[in-house]
Amino acid sequence: MSQVVLKAKNRQDHGSTAARKIRRDGRIPGVLYGRAGKAVSIDLDALEFATGVKGISESTIVKVEVDGKSYDAFVKDTQRSILNGKVLHVDFYEVESGVTLRARVSIQLKGNAVGIRDGGVFEFPLHEIEVECLPKDLPERIEVDVTELGVNQAIHVRDIALPDTIRVISSLDQVVALVKYAKEDKAEAAAEEEAAAAGAAAAPAEGAKDAKA
């Protein structure tokens, strides 16, 4: 997938009135935050932005061209209208080439777990992991094949195969995906209900005995 390129302009006017005018002109106000703390106010074409970022993940590095100067950056945050879903404002975070960064990368599952056919229930509790690497080595997403996952089996973060250029920050013991027996869950729930009912039945009897004494 080729890198997304977004063309932007330096924005001199600020405030809500200026922002509304920018949006009426079919553009989106935004801010590009540099690694050194410097922020550049920009605006960019709304249609180009919507088309360019469609399908990308939070760890995708895009190229933002501001009046001829190019920046590699994450789409850090987008504010949308609650009425029509249109983007009202966007924040970018600059990524410096050659400097190690930390980012959260989404997990994409591949295949259907064999344990489901054996009566198991599939769960996917962890949808992203945090990694550390150079910008050029940062994956857009991490693919995990669950095809061979059987009943009472789990895939942990430590089981994910990644290149040596990527260091995992998240706990290696976290469960990414698992298959467990639904019948066992129901049996445990029934046992808990039965125990609770027995305890409730015993309580009045003890109270009555105390009253009689």
Side-chain angles (χ1 to χ4, degrees), residues 28 49-50 78-89:
I28 304 171
F49 177 80
T78 55
Q79 298 176 18
R80 295 179 179 272
S81 168
I82 60 174
L83 298 177
N84 53 29
K86 289 184 178 180
V87 177
L88 302 177
H89 188 277

Side-chain angles (χ1 to χ4, degrees), residues 4-5 7 11 13-14 17 20 29 34 52 61 74 81 89-90 92-93 104 118-119 127 131-132 153 170 181 192:
V4 174
V5 179
K7 297 183 183 298
R11 177 164 54 95
D13 297 329
H14 301 83
T17 301
R20 284 194 294 269
I61 298 176
F74 292 123
S81 168
H89 188 277
V90 58
F92 295 93
Y93 182 79
R104 304 194 72 84
D118 297 329
H127 293 265
V131 301
E132 183 179 75
Q153 292 183 341
S170 298
Y181 272 122
E192 291 178 0

